[in-house]
Amino acid sequence: MSLPGTQAIKVVIHLKPTGGAPVLKQLKFKVSGDRSFAFVAETVRKQLQIDSVFLYIKEAFCPSLEEKLSVLAEAYAVDGQLNINYACTPAWG
């Protein structure tokens, strides 16, 4: 929640399929930085219509689902967007 007179930080999410995962219809979207990483996981899971999904930042690690997207973007964004690889099976790790 934002304080009156302040603007919520928006994070540009860029999803990249990995390990044979299907390509989603929408690979880029903006979301409030107050959202947790779990929001991205749930969004991808629903679009793929599967029970679980594996998400990675920097093709190397999966952050905690409770981590705020604004914190992840501040640390790992490239060219103003947070690149997240997704897979249906474990790809790295």
Side-chain angles (χ1 to χ4, degrees):
M1 181 185 285
S2 302
L3 296 173
T6 63
Q7 204 171 22
I9 295 172
K10 294 286 187 179
V11 176
V12 177
I13 304 293
H14 184 195
L15 299 169
K16 297 179 178 184
T18 301
V23 177
L24 299 173
K25 289 181 183 178
Q26 184 177 5
L27 294 174
K28 278 189 183 182
F29 57 94
K30 282 186 183 181
V31 64
S32 171
D34 292 339
R35 295 274 192 160
S36 67
F37 194 66
F39 173 79
V40 177
E42 186 66 13
T43 300
V44 173
R45 188 189 68 75
K46 283 182 179 178
Q47 287 185 29
L48 292 175
Q49 299 177 358
I50 58 176
D51 292 330
S52 64
V53 66
F54 299 87
L55 302 175
Y56 302 92
I57 292 181
K58 295 272 190 189
E59 298 179 351
F61 75 98
C62 180
S64 166
L65 292 175
E66 291 81 29
E67 194 70 56
K68 297 288 183 200
L69 291 174
S70 60
V71 173
L72 292 171
E74 187 176 323
Y76 302 107
V78 176
D79 296 330
Q81 62 188 17
L82 184 59
N83 297 312
I84 300 174
N85 294 81
Y86 67 91
C88 298
T89 57
W92 294 288

